[in-house]
Amino acid sequence: MTVEKTEVLVVGGGQAGIAASEHLTRAGVSHLVVERHRIAERWRSERWDSLVANGPAWHDRFPGLEFDGLHPDAFPGKERVADYFVAYAQKFNAPVRTGVEVTSVRRNEGRPGFMVETSAGRIEALNVIAATGPFQRPVMPAILPALPGLTQIHSTAYRNPGALPEGAVLVVGAGSSGAQIADELLASGRRTYLSVGPHGRPPRRYRGRDFVWWLGVLGKWDIPAPLPGTEHVTIAVSGAGGGETVDFRRFAARGMVLLGRTDGWRDGRLTFAGDLAANIAGGDADYLSVLDEADAYIARNGLDFPKEPEARLIGPDPECVTNPIRGLNLAAEGITTVIWATGFALDYGWLQVDAFDPGGKPRHQRGVSSEAGVYFLGLPWQSRRGSSFIWGVWHDARHVAEHIVTRRGYGAYQGHAEKRPGES
């Protein structure tokens, strides 16, 4: 059987894989990118129809290419984002091979590199970059049993309100996906319930600047690890409608029913923790802390930014917060669909190397794994808070490519036959 050979195999043709390819190309490293579907496929087929990027066009991009014809402060739609990565790959003629699925990677015995089994044959690579990103396997908690007349889907399967069965909808999870989907359902006229867990809730804009700018100048994108107690806190932020601050109280005022964290199924009822008020208050505290730090930055630097006192106005708690619902009979409430916006788990079953801890998480330092020659890209907090964002993964990819080049230099050294100083 013919075995194709390459110095580096990049697995995944999304933002991480394209970023890796650019830096490897600049360094003159031969490589191949394989993608099981199309470039940036998840943006096209695993997101809802109206999704836009959570950051403005000036920010959520790679340094080498702008979104042509789009205002820098606009939020590109999902198809536009996918097309952007296709155009970026074409810009430097990235060696991307689509329709190729990797099924296993194993270290060679007695010689360098790895043997990679794919749907298109074997590939032998000296280095492998796992660039499959953080959104690999949708997670749906085993809380709610299958019930007649009830559809349960993950947020990756949601497309638009009209694609759902008639009836009310419960969205579980109030991060960016859950908040935006619930907002869209409510606007469409659906009776909408939203289960809200602990979350961060930054202002979309404050005093004339988008929150991504504030996180940049305040140094928050470069925080190397989550603060204690925030490891599992999701962020509720949206670029929908031109970009607005997510406000759960405003949702409730429009008719949405807010619930606490979904925690069980008992006696035919879905139950919720009594933490809704605390979760809403925690989001408020996060929101106000950004305003405080922004005000302090403006004062410290003598900036003439417009004042915005109304941004600090927090409305009263709605009835569903002060008198929380602790259980629901879904059928009695007319709920016919539950959308689980509950995130993703990593899935590296195909990567059969010694690069994982006992819990299955990658062992790595800034993407350089514990298995020599294996690298990761696109992981949350890979090197900093911004690592899983478009611009952040580009910078992480540069570090990984530089490590490969350095390691190649050591491997190429053959030694010298002449005597060393001091030898007779």
Side-chain angles (χ1 to χ4, degrees):
M1 178 184 294
T2 302
V3 178
E4 185 176 1
K5 295 188 177 183
T6 185
E7 185 170 355
V8 181
L9 181 70
V10 181
V11 182
Q15 61 196 44
I18 300 304
S21 183
E22 179 184 6
H23 290 296
L24 291 170
T25 298
R26 287 177 181 273
V29 177
S30 64
H31 65 284
L32 174 66
V33 181
V34 292
E35 163 58 47
R36 62 182 175 178
H37 297 302
R38 294 173 292 178
I39 291 175
E41 178 66 24
R42 286 192 171 102
W43 280 96
R44 299 191 191 277
S45 60
E46 296 185 21
R47 302 294 183 265
W48 61 96
D49 295 346
S50 65
L51 175 68
V52 299
N54 280 335
W58 69 264
H59 183 267
D60 281 14
R61 64 177 181 87
F62 289 163
L65 183 67
E66 297 181 355
F67 281 91
D68 184 46
L70 194 65
H71 190 283
D73 288 326
F75 298 85
K78 70 184 187 79
E79 292 291 338
R80 187 68 185 273
V81 173
D83 289 343
Y84 173 89
F85 290 118
V86 172
Y88 204 93
Q90 293 172 343
K91 182 173 179 286
F92 61 93
N93 197 27
V96 180
R97 192 173 299 171
T98 58
V100 178
E101 182 174 7
V102 172
T103 56
S104 72
V105 175
R106 295 183 175 88
R107 175 167 286 285
N108 289 329
E109 294 291 337
R111 68 182 193 279
F114 304 87
M115 186 60 67
V116 182
E117 300 286 347
T118 82
S119 59
R122 286 183 170 181
I123 301 173
E124 189 168 2
L126 291 177
N127 303 277
V128 174
I129 300 177
T132 48
F135 308 120
Q136 296 175 19
R137 180 169 54 83
V139 171
M140 293 176 59
I143 294 177
L144 187 57
L147 298 171
L150 182 69
T151 297
Q152 297 188 59
I153 61 173
H154 191 267
S155 58
T156 54
Y158 170 74
R159 293 296 171 264
N160 56 67
L164 300 180
E166 294 293 327
V169 182
L170 166 64
V171 180
V172 180
S176 293
S177 295
Q180 291 179 53
I181 290 171
D183 187 23
E184 179 174 86
L185 290 166
L186 185 67
S188 76
R190 294 287 187 125
R191 176 71 167 166
T192 306
Y193 298 76
L194 177 62
S195 176
V196 180
H199 61 274
R201 188 177 71 86
R204 176 73 266 178
R205 291 180 66 82
Y206 181 58
R207 300 186 69 172
R209 293 290 189 274
D210 193 272
F211 99 99
V212 299
W213 187 87
W214 283 116
L215 293 189
V217 299
L218 295 173
K220 294 185 178 296
W221 285 125
D222 294 324
I223 296 173
L227 298 174
T230 66
E231 294 86 351
H232 305 293
V233 172
T234 60
I235 304 298
V237 65
S238 172
E244 295 181 351
T245 299
V246 173
D247 188 334
F248 295 111
R249 288 183 179 83
R250 196 177 301 144
F251 287 178
R254 291 165 47 207
M256 187 182 297
V257 179
L258 306 179
L259 306 160
R261 179 176 44 82
T262 303
D263 67 357
W265 172 260
R266 288 188 291 277
D267 302 323
R269 290 165 62 84
L270 191 60
T271 61
F272 307 94
D275 60 356
L276 178 58
N279 295 337
I280 296 295
D284 293 343
D286 176 69
Y287 169 84
L288 292 171
S289 72
V290 176
L291 303 192
D292 290 343
E293 291 190 58
D295 286 343
Y297 180 88
I298 290 170
R300 185 168 62 250
N301 291 280
L303 300 177
D304 185 22
F305 284 12
K307 295 186 182 299
E308 197 175 338
E310 64 276 14
R312 292 184 174 276
L313 299 178
I314 302 292
D317 285 341
E319 171 67 16
C320 57
V321 174
T322 58
N323 187 24
I325 297 170
R326 298 297 300 276
L328 281 179
N329 181 310
L330 302 183
E333 297 296 328
I335 295 174
T336 58
T337 303
V338 175
I339 300 174
W340 296 92
T342 42
F344 300 81
L346 298 175
D347 184 2
Y348 289 111
W350 52 272
L351 190 54
Q352 295 152 15
V353 297
D354 185 21
F356 302 93
D357 66 17
K361 293 182 179 179
R363 285 198 309 258
H364 72 97
Q365 180 68 32
R366 295 184 63 188
V368 181
S369 87
S370 56
E371 173 79 77
V374 172
Y375 300 85
F376 294 99
L377 265 182
L379 297 175
W381 297 92
Q382 179 160 314
S383 68
R384 68 187 104 184
R385 180 178 182 171
S387 285
S388 55
F389 291 78
I390 292 173
W391 65 270
V393 77
W394 188 90
H395 290 282
D396 284 344
R398 179 169 56 186
H399 174 74
V400 166
E402 288 173 350
H403 191 277
I404 289 172
V405 171
T406 300
R407 186 167 173 263
R408 177 173 66 171
Y410 280 109
Y413 179 72
Q414 299 296 317
H416 293 282
E418 64 267 19
K419 295 177 182 179
R420 292 190 296 269
E423 290 185 338
S424 59

